[in-house]
Amino acid sequence: MRRRRLVISVAALAAGVGLIPGVAQADPAKPDARGTTKPDLDLGKDAKTKGHAFTSPADRTVRKALPSAKTGAAAAPTVQSVNANANLAVGVAAYGTTAHGTEVDTTIMSVDTPLKVTIEWGDGKQDVFDAYGSDERTTAHTYAEVGSYTVKVTVTDTANNLSAVNEVNFVTEGSDFTPYAPTRLLDTRNGTGAPMGMVQPYSSTRVKIGGNGSIPAGVTAVVLNITVTNTSSDGHITAFPEGTQRPTTSNVNYKARQTVPNLVIVPVGKNGYVEIANRGGMPVDLIADVTGYFSTTASSGYTPIAPSRFVDTREGLGTTRAQLGGRKTFSTQISGLRGVPQGISAVALNVTVTNPKEAGHLSVFPGGGATPTASNLNFTAGQTIANSVIVPVGQDGKISVFNGAWAGTDVVVDVVGYYSTDSKSAFRPITPERLVDTRDPSDPVYGKLWGQSYIYMPLSYDDPSITGFVLNSTVTNTDGEGYLTVTPDPNSLDDYINQVEDWPTPPNSSNLNWTKGATVPNLVQASTGSNGIIDVWNRGWDDIDLIVDLFGLYQQG
């Protein structure tokens, strides 16, 4: 991969860049682009070898005589017919291949005779094909909605007046979203959801999700805002399904004496719990607030959009041009603006605090609802900090933001997507994978990400059914202050291969903000755009190290 230091004029340097994007600035001179390799995604292609299957072996086959053409009653097969194909059977195995899709393997055992095979998918549709004698084949199907379905396979042997039936219960890989009023499920400081007491070094606590409150049992994943506080050393937090191996990726990174929140979308274990591990060398307190969950019985899919600014109190966008006062709330319209339709159930945001007069927190909640005790963002005086938020939208199409401090702060809200019954993309959790680590000499993009430059990630250029990715981005070893922007790339992969790519224009939005020497994480729900390539921009003037972990994706079909 070609590399060259970005060339920036003295005039451009003098212009400066704020921690939060404001007015547009001239594009810098174009350097050579830096790109990652495609991730090793397990999207069902090797599900068979990994055992991710719903199976019903051939010995569960039910054989019966075909009904008589004249009476409609089952005709007793002749001795010759029974002996001719007495062991007719079919084994069935269903594999999830996409969020809505499956492949079914049928293994038929039969004497050499013409057969008709009917696969009823459980959604009112069927496939029919002819076979002759023993047969093995794979048939694909895509469901319009996520959910549980009974797949029934019938093999008919007309010559011997016999049928063989087997069926399997299949659950789609994808799941849809149900918003949940922000609620605190875990607080180790006071014993909410777990025994009171700090989480010890390199140990974990767990939080009950399925069956907790009005969250049903059997949910597949949950949206949690996890906050680490009372820290006395550096470390990180990892959330993962109870009963599974802890991944090597991180969700929340913290330094001593920091309080750090971050949104996570994490699969739920079979027993309904999520485990949260402290990977630091000293005890910490952990807080977890729920704002929604995923299941195969919900009805809200996801639609990602290019990041769009809806609120900026510094400019009067979306609210009055003044800081949000201490213990005050503002409401702002989401539905029906800037490409977001009416009737959505929830919205995916990036919320940023800047210029706060004192320490405090923000709570984001549905318009018209009661102010929750749960927080989305914690800040200190003078800090600029961002966090992802997924929040239900009120019946009026609005959300509200409460400032829990006693003094004012500026607030910026960027919309990155929305959930609705008309949205077609379902969520698929995948095994967490590190995509980028500029600190790692083996990484194709090893070396700090230069100021005002970007890394392109060709995540799904060959799979247009994928509409977005759930990433956790972390900035560390920062040489100065700045902010990160994640956005779809307008170039194709062929443009990069042929070295004819255009220098993209980053949007006027931010995903996370940092100061010199900081380590800052934030969840990113990134749209793949039209080319399946995602850009991660360093919008500061100084170099940084960047880490990007992949946790899931949104997929149509």
Side-chain angles (χ1 to χ4, degrees), residues 457-471:
M457 300 191 299
L459 299 184
S460 59
Y461 59 87
D462 58 351
D463 191 344
S465 71
I466 298 175
T467 60
F469 284 91
V470 177
L471 310 169

Side-chain angles (χ1 to χ4, degrees), residues 232-253:
S232 54
S233 71
D234 297 356
H236 68 268
I237 303 298
T238 298
F240 58 101
E242 185 206 27
T244 65
Q245 184 175 357
R246 175 181 54 81
T248 57
T249 51
S250 62
N251 295 102
V252 187
N253 298 75

Side-chain angles (χ1 to χ4, degrees), residues 291-542:
T291 62
Y293 59 85
F294 293 86
S295 71
T296 56
T297 57
S299 59
S300 288
Y302 184 63
T303 298
I305 64 173
S308 179
R309 181 143 298 173
F310 273 57
V311 174
D312 191 337
T313 59
R314 302 167 305 172
E315 302 175 2
L317 175 65
T319 185
T320 56
R321 185 176 179 178
Q323 286 199 331
L324 176 59
R327 313 299 295 179
K328 300 295 184 182
T329 300
F330 72 73
S331 296
T332 190
Q333 188 71 34
I334 299 294
S335 300
L337 294 179
R338 300 179 184 87
V340 178
Q342 299 285 353
I344 66 173
S345 59
V347 62
L349 310 170
N350 202 71
V351 179
T352 305
V353 162
T354 190
N355 305 318
K357 303 301 184 186
E358 67 175 28
H361 70 271
L362 288 188
S363 295
V364 185
F365 56 101
T371 303
T373 57
S375 63
N376 297 97
L377 189 57
N378 299 77
F379 53 86
T380 57
Q383 185 181 23
T384 296
I385 186 170
N387 198 24
S388 289
V389 175
I390 298 175
V391 61
V393 174
Q395 293 184 350
D396 56 1
K398 295 182 178 181
I399 62 165
S400 297
V401 180
F402 169 72
N403 175 14
W406 292 98
T409 184
D410 281 308
V411 179
V412 179
V413 177
D414 298 316
V415 174
V416 300
Y418 59 86
Y419 298 87
S420 74
T421 55
D422 293 330
S423 299
K424 303 301 182 184
S425 296
F427 175 69
R428 282 188 76 183
I430 61 176
T431 302
E433 179 178 348
R434 182 145 291 177
L435 301 181
V436 173
D437 190 342
T438 59
R439 307 166 303 174
D440 183 355
S442 66
D443 195 301
V445 292
Y446 171 63
K448 282 194 169 184
L449 177 57
W450 312 317
Q452 295 297 304
S453 188
Y454 73 101
I455 289 173
Y456 69 89
M457 300 191 299
L459 299 184
S460 59
Y461 59 87
D462 58 351
D463 191 344
S465 71
I466 298 175
T467 60
F469 284 91
V470 177
L471 310 169
N472 197 71
S473 57
T474 302
V475 167
T476 191
N477 300 325
T478 56
D479 293 345
E481 61 185 29
Y483 65 93
L484 198 77
T485 295
V486 183
T487 184
D489 193 315
N491 299 294
S492 69
L493 186 60
D494 285 341
D495 291 335
Y496 283 106
I497 292 173
N498 297 321
Q499 302 181 8
V500 295
E501 74 277 0
D502 292 323
W503 187 252
T505 301
N508 187 36
S509 62
S510 63
N511 291 94
L512 63 84
N513 304 76
W514 65 84
T515 54
K516 185 176 181 179
T519 296
V520 184
N522 200 11
L523 182 90
V524 178
Q525 298 215 102
S527 170
T528 57
S530 57
N531 294 309
I533 301 175
I534 294 170
D535 293 339
V536 184
W537 285 86
N538 173 7
R539 297 291 286 151
W541 295 101
D542 300 290

